[in-house]
Amino acid sequence: MMIESAEEFKRLRESEAQDEYFRAAHDEAPIQIWEEVLVKYPDLAVWVAHNKTVPVAILEKLAVDNDPKVRGMVARKRKIPESLMLQLAKDEDESVRHALVNNRKVTVAVLQVLRNDSWQVIREVASDKLSALTSKSSGR
């Protein structure tokens, strides 16, 4: 199924019916609909980012949202390109960087940036992941 309007997305997201709530997280919508949701219902931005089908172009807009919860949701997305990961690796909010370092698809280049993070927890996770990746590639 396809989400046909910003109002439909809002209704699905706020629905008590589990199947409608599920649709808000899994159904596709044209890029213009996602843009309309963000204009009309900015408080739903985190749920736009949560949607499994949301295009990278929308995630790029959400990566600069004022709300760190929205940026953190973007940082968790496995489909974001490395360029967006590198941008989020320098985010001012440590919760965003923490979400990114725990992204299963985080790249070596991003981990190398996060290895020098101001927060020790992020530095340690990044270093551990880099060590695991290098020991895998060397066949140890």
Side-chain angles (χ1 to χ4, degrees):
M1 290 230 262
M2 180 82 82
I3 297 169
E4 304 289 342
S5 70
E7 292 72 23
E8 181 182 10
F9 179 75
K10 183 180 189 323
R11 182 183 59 75
L12 292 171
R13 174 63 201 112
E14 295 173 350
S15 175
E16 298 288 323
Q18 193 170 2
D19 60 325
E20 290 193 341
Y21 188 82
F22 183 86
R23 282 190 58 210
H26 294 271
D27 284 11
E28 289 184 57
I31 195 163
Q32 313 86 271
I33 299 299
W34 293 125
E35 289 170 345
E36 189 181 338
V37 171
L38 296 176
V39 169
K40 287 186 174 177
Y41 310 110
D43 55 312
L44 294 178
V46 73
W47 299 108
V48 171
H50 184 74
N51 181 281
K52 304 287 185 223
T53 67
V54 70
V56 170
I58 296 296
L59 293 173
E60 288 170 347
K61 290 181 180 191
L62 294 172
V64 295
D65 193 275
N66 287 333
D67 186 346
K69 288 187 185 97
V70 174
R71 298 191 313 273
M73 183 62 74
V74 174
R76 287 178 185 84
K77 302 292 275 191
R78 291 194 293 263
K79 71 175 170 185
I80 59 173
E82 185 176 64
S83 58
L84 196 48
M85 286 186 187
L86 288 166
Q87 175 187 326
L88 291 165
K90 294 174 177 66
D91 196 279
E92 65 192 30
D93 193 286
E94 62 191 22
S95 70
V96 174
R97 300 188 315 272
H98 191 253
L100 181 63
V101 79
N102 287 299
N103 182 322
R104 288 209 333 245
K105 299 280 186 172
V106 68
T107 66
V108 170
V110 175
L111 289 170
Q112 288 169 336
V113 170
L114 293 171
R115 183 175 52 189
N116 299 312
D117 195 84
S118 59
W119 190 24
Q120 181 181 352
V121 172
I122 293 171
R123 287 195 309 268
E124 289 174 358
V125 173
S127 293
D128 290 349
K129 284 188 166 196
L130 279 168
S131 296
L133 287 170
T134 52
S135 67
K136 262 188 209 169
S137 63
S138 65
R140 279 189 255 153

Short mmCIF file of all heavy atoms in Angstrom, two decimals, residues 58-110:
data_model
loop_
_atom_site.label_atom_id
_atom_site.label_comp_id
_atom_site.label_asym_id
_atom_site.label_seq_id
_atom_site.Cartn_x
_atom_site.Cartn_y
_atom_site.Cartn_z
N ILE A 58 15.13 12.49 1.77
CA ILE A 58 14.39 12.99 2.95
C ILE A 58 15.27 12.81 4.20
O ILE A 58 15.32 13.69 5.06
CB ILE A 58 13.04 12.27 3.09
CG1 ILE A 58 12.12 12.58 1.91
CG2 ILE A 58 12.36 12.62 4.42
CD1 ILE A 58 11.71 14.04 1.75
N LEU A 59 15.97 11.70 4.29
CA LEU A 59 16.87 11.49 5.43
C LEU A 59 17.95 12.56 5.49
O LEU A 59 18.35 12.99 6.58
CB LEU A 59 17.49 10.09 5.37
CG LEU A 59 16.50 8.93 5.57
CD1 LEU A 59 17.19 7.60 5.31
CD2 LEU A 59 15.86 8.97 6.95
N GLU A 60 18.41 13.01 4.32
CA GLU A 60 19.41 14.09 4.28
C GLU A 60 18.86 15.37 4.89
O GLU A 60 19.56 16.09 5.60
CB GLU A 60 19.90 14.32 2.85
CG GLU A 60 20.79 13.19 2.36
CD GLU A 60 21.11 13.24 0.88
OE1 GLU A 60 20.45 14.01 0.13
OE2 GLU A 60 22.01 12.49 0.46
N LYS A 61 17.58 15.66 4.62
CA LYS A 61 16.95 16.85 5.22
C LYS A 61 16.80 16.66 6.73
O LYS A 61 17.03 17.58 7.51
CB LYS A 61 15.56 17.08 4.62
CG LYS A 61 15.60 17.56 3.18
CD LYS A 61 14.20 17.79 2.64
CE LYS A 61 14.29 18.28 1.21
NZ LYS A 61 13.04 18.77 0.69
N LEU A 62 16.41 15.45 7.13
CA LEU A 62 16.18 15.17 8.55
C LEU A 62 17.50 15.16 9.34
O LEU A 62 17.50 15.39 10.55
CB LEU A 62 15.45 13.84 8.72
CG LEU A 62 14.02 13.84 8.17
CD1 LEU A 62 13.45 12.42 8.19
CD2 LEU A 62 13.13 14.79 8.95
N ALA A 63 18.61 14.92 8.67
CA ALA A 63 19.92 14.87 9.34
C ALA A 63 20.35 16.24 9.85
O ALA A 63 21.29 16.32 10.66
CB ALA A 63 20.97 14.31 8.38
N VAL A 64 19.68 17.29 9.41
CA VAL A 64 19.99 18.64 9.91
C VAL A 64 18.82 19.22 10.71
O VAL A 64 18.78 20.41 10.98
CB VAL A 64 20.41 19.60 8.76
CG1 VAL A 64 21.71 19.14 8.13
CG2 VAL A 64 19.32 19.72 7.71
N ASP A 65 17.88 18.37 11.10
CA ASP A 65 16.74 18.79 11.92
C ASP A 65 17.25 19.34 13.25
O ASP A 65 18.31 18.92 13.75
CB ASP A 65 15.81 17.59 12.16
CG ASP A 65 14.46 18.00 12.73
OD1 ASP A 65 14.35 18.16 13.96
OD2 ASP A 65 13.52 18.18 11.93
N ASN A 66 16.52 20.28 13.83
CA ASN A 66 16.92 20.85 15.12
C ASN A 66 16.85 19.85 16.26
O ASN A 66 17.54 20.00 17.27
CB ASN A 66 16.03 22.06 15.47
CG ASN A 66 16.36 23.27 14.61
OD1 ASN A 66 17.48 23.42 14.14
ND2 ASN A 66 15.37 24.11 14.38
N ASP A 67 16.00 18.83 16.13
CA ASP A 67 15.78 17.87 17.21
C ASP A 67 16.79 16.72 17.13
O ASP A 67 16.83 15.99 16.14
CB ASP A 67 14.35 17.32 17.09
CG ASP A 67 13.96 16.41 18.25
OD1 ASP A 67 14.85 15.98 19.02
OD2 ASP A 67 12.75 16.12 18.37
N PRO A 68 17.61 16.55 18.17
CA PRO A 68 18.58 15.45 18.15
C PRO A 68 17.92 14.07 18.07
O PRO A 68 18.54 13.13 17.57
CB PRO A 68 19.37 15.62 19.44
CG PRO A 68 18.63 16.59 20.28
CD PRO A 68 17.72 17.37 19.38
N LYS A 69 16.66 13.94 18.52
CA LYS A 69 15.97 12.64 18.40
C LYS A 69 15.76 12.29 16.93
O LYS A 69 15.85 11.13 16.53
CB LYS A 69 14.62 12.69 19.12
CG LYS A 69 14.72 12.70 20.62
CD LYS A 69 13.34 12.58 21.25
CE LYS A 69 13.40 12.72 22.75
NZ LYS A 69 13.09 14.07 23.20
N VAL A 70 15.47 13.30 16.12
CA VAL A 70 15.27 13.08 14.68
C VAL A 70 16.61 12.71 14.04
O VAL A 70 16.71 11.72 13.29
CB VAL A 70 14.67 14.34 14.00
CG1 VAL A 70 14.61 14.16 12.49
CG2 VAL A 70 13.28 14.63 14.56
N ARG A 71 17.65 13.46 14.36
CA ARG A 71 18.98 13.16 13.79
C ARG A 71 19.46 11.79 14.26
O ARG A 71 20.08 11.04 13.50
CB ARG A 71 19.99 14.26 14.17
CG ARG A 71 19.60 15.63 13.62
CD ARG A 71 20.69 16.67 13.75
NE ARG A 71 21.35 16.76 15.03
CZ ARG A 71 20.94 17.51 16.06
NH1 ARG A 71 19.83 18.24 15.96
NH2 ARG A 71 21.64 17.55 17.19
N GLY A 72 19.16 11.44 15.50
CA GLY A 72 19.53 10.11 16.02
C GLY A 72 18.83 8.99 15.28
O GLY A 72 19.43 7.94 15.01
N MET A 73 17.57 9.20 14.93
CA MET A 73 16.84 8.19 14.16
C MET A 73 17.48 8.03 12.78
O MET A 73 17.63 6.91 12.29
CB MET A 73 15.36 8.59 14.03
CG MET A 73 14.50 7.57 13.30
SD MET A 73 14.41 5.95 14.11
CE MET A 73 13.34 6.33 15.48
N VAL A 74 17.88 9.13 12.17
CA VAL A 74 18.57 9.06 10.88
C VAL A 74 19.89 8.29 11.04
O VAL A 74 20.22 7.43 10.21
CB VAL A 74 18.83 10.47 10.29
CG1 VAL A 74 19.68 10.40 9.03
CG2 VAL A 74 17.50 11.18 10.01
N ALA A 75 20.62 8.56 12.12
CA ALA A 75 21.91 7.89 12.35
C ALA A 75 21.76 6.38 12.51
O ALA A 75 22.70 5.64 12.24
CB ALA A 75 22.58 8.50 13.58
N ARG A 76 20.59 5.93 12.93
CA ARG A 76 20.34 4.49 13.10
C ARG A 76 20.02 3.77 11.79
O ARG A 76 20.06 2.56 11.73
CB ARG A 76 19.15 4.27 14.05
CG ARG A 76 19.45 4.56 15.47
CD ARG A 76 18.21 4.37 16.36
NE ARG A 76 18.51 4.77 17.71
CZ ARG A 76 18.47 6.02 18.16
NH1 ARG A 76 18.10 7.01 17.37
NH2 ARG A 76 18.80 6.30 19.40
N LYS A 77 19.66 4.53 10.76
CA LYS A 77 19.22 3.93 9.49
C LYS A 77 20.39 3.25 8.79
O LYS A 77 21.42 3.86 8.55
CB LYS A 77 18.61 4.99 8.56
CG LYS A 77 17.44 5.74 9.14
CD LYS A 77 16.22 4.88 9.31
CE LYS A 77 15.42 4.78 8.06
NZ LYS A 77 14.11 4.17 8.27
N ARG A 78 20.20 1.99 8.44
CA ARG A 78 21.29 1.25 7.78
C ARG A 78 21.50 1.68 6.34
O ARG A 78 22.56 1.45 5.78
CB ARG A 78 21.01 -0.25 7.87
CG ARG A 78 21.14 -0.76 9.31
CD ARG A 78 21.20 -2.26 9.38
NE ARG A 78 19.95 -2.89 9.00
CZ ARG A 78 19.03 -3.31 9.85
NH1 ARG A 78 19.21 -3.16 11.14
NH2 ARG A 78 17.93 -3.89 9.41
N LYS A 79 20.50 2.31 5.74
CA LYS A 79 20.63 2.65 4.31
C LYS A 79 21.27 4.01 4.04
O LYS A 79 21.45 4.38 2.90
CB LYS A 79 19.27 2.57 3.62
CG LYS A 79 18.28 3.68 4.00
CD LYS A 79 17.04 3.52 3.14
CE LYS A 79 15.90 4.38 3.54
NZ LYS A 79 14.71 4.09 2.74
N ILE A 80 21.65 4.75 5.07
CA ILE A 80 22.23 6.07 4.81
C ILE A 80 23.62 5.92 4.18
O ILE A 80 24.38 5.05 4.56
CB ILE A 80 22.26 6.98 6.05
CG1 ILE A 80 23.08 6.38 7.20
CG2 ILE A 80 20.85 7.34 6.51
CD1 ILE A 80 23.27 7.33 8.39
N PRO A 81 23.92 6.80 3.23
CA PRO A 81 25.24 6.73 2.58
C PRO A 81 26.35 7.19 3.52
O PRO A 81 26.10 7.90 4.50
CB PRO A 81 25.09 7.67 1.38
CG PRO A 81 24.01 8.62 1.77
CD PRO A 81 23.08 7.86 2.68
N GLU A 82 27.57 6.79 3.19
CA GLU A 82 28.72 7.16 4.03
C GLU A 82 28.85 8.67 4.18
O GLU A 82 29.20 9.16 5.26
CB GLU A 82 29.99 6.57 3.44
CG GLU A 82 31.20 6.82 4.34
CD GLU A 82 32.45 6.16 3.82
OE1 GLU A 82 32.92 6.56 2.72
OE2 GLU A 82 32.96 5.26 4.51
N SER A 83 28.53 9.43 3.13
CA SER A 83 28.63 10.89 3.22
C SER A 83 27.74 11.45 4.34
O SER A 83 28.13 12.36 5.07
CB SER A 83 28.26 11.54 1.88
OG SER A 83 26.94 11.16 1.51
N LEU A 84 26.56 10.87 4.49
CA LEU A 84 25.64 11.30 5.55
C LEU A 84 26.15 10.82 6.92
O LEU A 84 26.05 11.55 7.91
CB LEU A 84 24.23 10.78 5.26
CG LEU A 84 23.08 11.41 6.02
CD1 LEU A 84 23.13 12.93 5.99
CD2 LEU A 84 21.76 10.92 5.44
N MET A 85 26.71 9.63 6.95
CA MET A 85 27.30 9.13 8.20
C MET A 85 28.43 10.06 8.66
O MET A 85 28.54 10.37 9.85
CB MET A 85 27.85 7.71 8.01
CG MET A 85 26.81 6.65 7.92
SD MET A 85 27.63 5.03 7.87
CE MET A 85 26.22 3.98 7.56
N LEU A 86 29.27 10.48 7.71
CA LEU A 86 30.39 11.36 8.07
C LEU A 86 29.88 12.70 8.61
O LEU A 86 30.46 13.27 9.55
CB LEU A 86 31.31 11.57 6.87
CG LEU A 86 32.16 10.35 6.50
CD1 LEU A 86 32.77 10.51 5.12
CD2 LEU A 86 33.23 10.09 7.56
N GLN A 87 28.80 13.20 8.04
CA GLN A 87 28.18 14.43 8.54
C GLN A 87 27.68 14.23 9.97
O GLN A 87 27.94 15.04 10.86
CB GLN A 87 27.02 14.81 7.61
CG GLN A 87 26.20 16.00 8.06
CD GLN A 87 24.97 16.20 7.18
OE1 GLN A 87 25.00 15.93 5.99
NE2 GLN A 87 23.89 16.65 7.78
N LEU A 88 26.99 13.11 10.21
CA LEU A 88 26.43 12.84 11.54
C LEU A 88 27.53 12.52 12.56
O LEU A 88 27.34 12.72 13.76
CB LEU A 88 25.41 11.70 11.46
CG LEU A 88 24.12 12.05 10.70
CD1 LEU A 88 23.35 10.80 10.35
CD2 LEU A 88 23.27 13.02 11.51
N ALA A 89 28.68 12.04 12.10
CA ALA A 89 29.79 11.73 13.01
C ALA A 89 30.32 12.99 13.68
O ALA A 89 30.99 12.91 14.72
CB ALA A 89 30.91 11.03 12.24
N LYS A 90 30.01 14.14 13.10
CA LYS A 90 30.45 15.42 13.68
C LYS A 90 29.29 16.15 14.36
O LYS A 90 29.41 17.33 14.69
CB LYS A 90 31.04 16.28 12.56
CG LYS A 90 32.33 15.69 11.99
CD LYS A 90 32.81 16.49 10.78
CE LYS A 90 34.11 15.98 10.23
NZ LYS A 90 34.04 14.66 9.63
N ASP A 91 28.16 15.46 14.55
CA ASP A 91 26.99 16.09 15.18
C ASP A 91 27.36 16.58 16.58
O ASP A 91 28.12 15.93 17.30
CB ASP A 91 25.83 15.09 15.25
CG ASP A 91 24.50 15.77 15.52
OD1 ASP A 91 24.20 16.09 16.71
OD2 ASP A 91 23.76 16.02 14.56
N GLU A 92 26.78 17.72 16.96
CA GLU A 92 27.07 18.31 18.27
C GLU A 92 26.50 17.47 19.41
O GLU A 92 26.98 17.51 20.53
CB GLU A 92 26.51 19.73 18.36
CG GLU A 92 24.99 19.76 18.26
CD GLU A 92 24.40 21.14 18.05
OE1 GLU A 92 25.06 21.98 17.43
OE2 GLU A 92 23.27 21.35 18.51
N ASP A 93 25.47 16.67 19.13
CA ASP A 93 24.79 15.90 20.18
C ASP A 93 25.39 14.49 20.27
O ASP A 93 25.40 13.74 19.31
CB ASP A 93 23.29 15.82 19.87
CG ASP A 93 22.50 15.32 21.06
OD1 ASP A 93 22.57 14.10 21.33
OD2 ASP A 93 21.83 16.14 21.72
N GLU A 94 25.87 14.14 21.47
CA GLU A 94 26.52 12.84 21.62
C GLU A 94 25.56 11.67 21.42
O GLU A 94 25.98 10.59 21.00
CB GLU A 94 27.24 12.73 22.96
CG GLU A 94 26.36 12.84 24.17
CD GLU A 94 27.14 12.98 25.48
OE1 GLU A 94 28.30 13.41 25.47
OE2 GLU A 94 26.54 12.65 26.51
N SER A 95 24.25 11.86 21.67
CA SER A 95 23.30 10.77 21.45
C SER A 95 23.21 10.41 19.96
O SER A 95 23.01 9.25 19.61
CB SER A 95 21.92 11.11 22.01
OG SER A 95 21.30 12.13 21.25
N VAL A 96 23.38 11.39 19.10
CA VAL A 96 23.36 11.16 17.65
C VAL A 96 24.60 10.36 17.24
O VAL A 96 24.52 9.37 16.51
CB VAL A 96 23.28 12.49 16.86
CG1 VAL A 96 23.39 12.26 15.36
CG2 VAL A 96 21.99 13.23 17.20
N ARG A 97 25.75 10.78 17.74
CA ARG A 97 27.00 10.07 17.42
C ARG A 97 26.98 8.66 18.00
O ARG A 97 27.48 7.72 17.39
CB ARG A 97 28.21 10.88 17.93
CG ARG A 97 28.29 12.27 17.28
CD ARG A 97 29.58 13.01 17.60
NE ARG A 97 30.00 12.97 18.99
CZ ARG A 97 29.63 13.82 19.94
NH1 ARG A 97 28.79 14.81 19.67
NH2 ARG A 97 30.10 13.69 21.17
N HIS A 98 26.37 8.50 19.18
CA HIS A 98 26.27 7.18 19.81
C HIS A 98 25.38 6.26 18.97
O HIS A 98 25.70 5.08 18.77
CB HIS A 98 25.73 7.32 21.24
CG HIS A 98 25.84 6.06 22.03
ND1 HIS A 98 24.75 5.30 22.34
CD2 HIS A 98 26.92 5.43 22.56
CE1 HIS A 98 25.14 4.24 23.04
NE2 HIS A 98 26.45 4.30 23.18
N ALA A 99 24.27 6.78 18.46
CA ALA A 99 23.40 6.00 17.58
C ALA A 99 24.17 5.58 16.33
O ALA A 99 24.06 4.44 15.87
CB ALA A 99 22.16 6.80 17.20
N LEU A 100 24.97 6.48 15.80
CA LEU A 100 25.73 6.20 14.58
C LEU A 100 26.80 5.13 14.82
O LEU A 100 26.92 4.20 14.02
CB LEU A 100 26.39 7.49 14.08
CG LEU A 100 27.21 7.36 12.80
CD1 LEU A 100 26.32 6.95 11.62
CD2 LEU A 100 27.91 8.68 12.50
N VAL A 101 27.54 5.23 15.90
CA VAL A 101 28.60 4.24 16.14
C VAL A 101 28.02 2.85 16.33
O VAL A 101 28.68 1.85 16.05
CB VAL A 101 29.51 4.66 17.33
CG1 VAL A 101 28.87 4.34 18.68
CG2 VAL A 101 30.88 4.01 17.22
N ASN A 102 26.75 2.77 16.75
CA ASN A 102 26.07 1.48 16.93
C ASN A 102 25.29 1.02 15.70
O ASN A 102 24.66 -0.03 15.73
CB ASN A 102 25.17 1.53 18.15
CG ASN A 102 25.99 1.50 19.43
OD1 ASN A 102 26.72 0.55 19.68
ND2 ASN A 102 25.92 2.57 20.19
N ASN A 103 25.33 1.80 14.62
CA ASN A 103 24.68 1.43 13.36
C ASN A 103 25.42 0.22 12.79
O ASN A 103 26.64 0.24 12.64
CB ASN A 103 24.73 2.61 12.39
CG ASN A 103 24.03 2.35 11.08
OD1 ASN A 103 24.08 1.25 10.52
ND2 ASN A 103 23.37 3.37 10.56
N ARG A 104 24.68 -0.84 12.46
CA ARG A 104 25.32 -2.07 11.98
C ARG A 104 26.07 -1.88 10.66
O ARG A 104 26.94 -2.66 10.32
CB ARG A 104 24.28 -3.18 11.81
CG ARG A 104 23.79 -3.71 13.15
CD ARG A 104 23.35 -5.15 13.17
NE ARG A 104 22.86 -5.68 11.94
CZ ARG A 104 21.62 -6.09 11.71
NH1 ARG A 104 20.72 -5.98 12.66
NH2 ARG A 104 21.27 -6.60 10.55
N LYS A 105 25.72 -0.84 9.91
CA LYS A 105 26.36 -0.60 8.61
C LYS A 105 27.40 0.53 8.66
O LYS A 105 27.85 0.99 7.62
CB LYS A 105 25.30 -0.26 7.55
CG LYS A 105 24.28 -1.34 7.31
CD LYS A 105 24.84 -2.40 6.39
CE LYS A 105 23.75 -3.40 6.04
NZ LYS A 105 24.15 -4.33 5.03
N VAL A 106 27.78 0.96 9.86
CA VAL A 106 28.75 2.06 9.97
C VAL A 106 30.04 1.64 9.26
O VAL A 106 30.48 0.50 9.35
CB VAL A 106 28.98 2.45 11.45
CG1 VAL A 106 29.69 1.37 12.24
CG2 VAL A 106 29.72 3.78 11.56
N THR A 107 30.62 2.58 8.52
CA THR A 107 31.79 2.26 7.70
C THR A 107 33.10 2.49 8.45
O THR A 107 33.13 3.20 9.47
CB THR A 107 31.80 3.11 6.41
OG1 THR A 107 31.97 4.48 6.78
CG2 THR A 107 30.52 2.94 5.61
N VAL A 108 34.16 1.92 7.93
CA VAL A 108 35.50 2.08 8.52
C VAL A 108 35.87 3.56 8.60
O VAL A 108 36.37 4.03 9.63
CB VAL A 108 36.55 1.27 7.72
CG1 VAL A 108 37.97 1.63 8.17
CG2 VAL A 108 36.29 -0.22 7.88
N ALA A 109 35.63 4.30 7.53
CA ALA A 109 35.97 5.74 7.51
C ALA A 109 35.25 6.49 8.63
O ALA A 109 35.83 7.36 9.28
CB ALA A 109 35.64 6.35 6.16
N VAL A 110 34.00 6.15 8.87
CA VAL A 110 33.22 6.80 9.93
C VAL A 110 33.74 6.37 11.30
O VAL A 110 33.88 7.20 12.21
CB VAL A 110 31.71 6.49 9.76
CG1 VAL A 110 30.89 7.05 10.91
CG2 VAL A 110 31.21 7.05 8.43
#
